[in-house]
């Protein structure tokens, strides 16, 4: 079974590739399904999420807490998407559980296009970059599946150096995550179409009296910034949005 959270499509892409290759059951953790019941029917569970400064995004952390018992004694595969080297982004998922709660069968990181569309240069999510990184991701999924078929394991990010790098990156993330909660700006170009409100994973954007009002609960996934048809939304980094990353096609 594959469970994923994806802000703008990168982690969804990897999860769906793995589903296609293995025939596994696959769900976004945003879906309204009986996760406990479905997880109970599987001995192996793969989780896929984007790493934020080598950490686990809030929605996946909350999911892990809510369904902690459902992970007990499972074989777990951890797939992380990242723009740059994240250190121990996959290993950090195990910090959400008591020691020995489950066995990590496989852990891997995938380099994917940047989704901070108004922060880093556009070439980091250009069509050429998307083609290159998604092609590499597909090849990596194929290699992972072949290794699994031969009962071979890999634990990316579990070594001493990745753990040190991850520790240094995570030192700054809690403050950034907290800053993002109430740091969403909606520009005058907003037409209150409601698309971002419908797609926000934590219900942070609501239409009130014909206006889009942030609720102080942003989780910094950047989905609204990349989704807004009028490029009217920014989060933390308030540089104007001139182009957007729409995510890869599966």
């Amino acid at each position: 079974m594959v469970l994923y959270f994806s802000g703008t499509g990168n982690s969804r892409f990897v999860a769906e590739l793995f589903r296609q290759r293995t025939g596994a059951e696959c769900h976004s953790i945003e879906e309204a399904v009986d996760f406990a019941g479905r997880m109970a029917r599987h001995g192996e569970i793969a989780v896929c999420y984007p790493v934020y400064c080598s950490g686990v995004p809030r929605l996946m952390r909350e999911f892990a807490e809510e369904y902690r018992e459902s992970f007990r004694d499972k074989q777990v595969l951890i797939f992380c998407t990242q723009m740059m080297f994240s250190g121990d982004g996959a290993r950090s998922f195990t910090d959400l559980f008591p020691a020995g709660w489950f066995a990590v069968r496989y852990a891997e990181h995938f380099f994917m296009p940047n989704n901070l569309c108004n922060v880093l240069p556009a070439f980091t999510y250009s069509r050429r970059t998307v083609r290159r990184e998604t092609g590499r991701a597909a090849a990596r999924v194929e290699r992972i599946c072949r290794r699994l078929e031969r009962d071979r394991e890999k634990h990316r990010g579990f070594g001493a150096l990745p753990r040190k790098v991850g520790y240094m990156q995570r030192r700054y993330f809690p403050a950034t995550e907290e800053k993002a909660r109430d740091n969403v700006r909606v520009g005058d170009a907003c037409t209150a179409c409601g698309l971002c409100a419908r797609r926000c994973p934590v219900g942070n954007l609501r239409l009130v009296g014909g206006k889009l009002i942030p609720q102080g609960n942003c989780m910094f996934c950047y989905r609204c910034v990349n989704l807004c048809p009028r490029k009217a939304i920014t989060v933390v980094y308030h540089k104007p949005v001139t182009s957007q990353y729409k995510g890869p096609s599966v």
Side-chain angles (χ1 to χ4, degrees):
M1 183 178 187
V2 186
L3 301 169
Y4 70 89
F5 167 71
S6 187
T8 49
N10 287 338
S11 293
R12 173 180 172 267
F13 179 81
V14 172
E16 287 288 346
L17 284 178
F18 191 71
R19 177 196 65 80
Q20 292 175 1
R21 178 59 171 76
T22 64
E25 182 178 359
C26 183
H27 296 282
S28 164
I29 62 172
E30 296 177 59
E31 295 178 31
V33 301
D34 177 15
F35 286 109
R38 292 176 182 270
M39 293 169 73
R41 297 196 291 268
H42 299 279
E44 291 185 337
I45 297 175
V47 294
C48 186
Y49 56 87
V51 289
Y52 295 174
C53 294
S54 204
V56 183
R58 174 158 58 99
L59 202 67
M60 183 60 81
R61 299 200 307 266
E62 292 172 351
F63 182 88
E65 180 178 1
E66 182 175 358
Y67 295 99
R68 175 174 294 176
E69 192 62 34
S70 298
F71 280 95
R72 186 195 286 267
D73 297 328
K74 301 292 187 181
Q75 295 281 323
V76 176
L77 299 83
I78 309 171
F79 301 143
C80 293
T81 57
Q82 58 187 9
M83 185 191 68
M84 297 182 291
F85 180 59
S86 71
D88 62 344
R91 190 212 58 80
S92 63
F93 184 76
T94 65
D95 291 338
L96 307 177
F97 300 85
W101 196 257
F102 52 70
V104 178
R105 186 180 180 196
Y106 212 99
E108 186 57 281
H109 294 173
F110 293 79
F111 288 101
M112 295 294 285
N114 156 56
N115 75 338
L116 299 177
C117 60
N118 64 330
V119 178
L120 297 175
F123 74 81
T124 60
Y125 54 92
S126 67
R127 290 184 179 181
R128 180 178 179 180
T129 299
V130 172
R131 286 195 302 268
R132 182 184 69 241
E133 300 301 353
T134 54
R136 290 175 177 175
R140 179 157 290 189
V141 167
E142 179 63 26
R143 288 196 298 271
I144 290 171
C145 291
R146 290 179 180 178
R147 290 175 65 93
L148 291 171
E149 289 166 354
R150 297 194 299 268
D151 291 324
R152 298 178 64 181
E153 298 185 356
K154 187 174 185 177
H155 298 89
R156 177 83 67 186
F158 280 62
L161 178 59
R163 291 179 71 133
K164 289 181 181 179
V165 173
Y167 171 75
M168 294 299 295
Q169 292 184 356
R170 280 192 299 276
R171 289 177 60 188
Y172 303 99
F173 181 61
T176 302
E177 188 178 53
E178 188 60 32
K179 181 180 180 181
R181 278 185 179 268
D182 195 25
N183 202 344
V184 179
R185 293 183 185 175
V186 181
D188 294 337
C190 174
T191 60
C193 68
L195 178 60
C196 59
R198 294 191 297 272
R199 295 289 303 279
C200 178
V202 290
N204 182 55
L205 300 168
R206 295 183 183 178
L207 288 174
V208 180
K211 292 185 177 181
L212 189 68
I213 307 297
Q215 303 298 304
N217 190 39
C218 178
M219 64 165 285
F220 201 40
C221 74
Y222 243 63
R223 184 183 294 176
C224 60
V225 180
N226 285 284
L227 196 63
C228 176
R230 301 302 300 272
K231 302 181 179 67
I233 303 175
T234 56
V235 178
V236 178
Y237 307 109
H238 299 298
K239 181 180 177 181
V241 179
T242 57
S243 60
Q244 297 164 308
Y245 176 52
K246 299 300 183 180
S249 299
V250 179

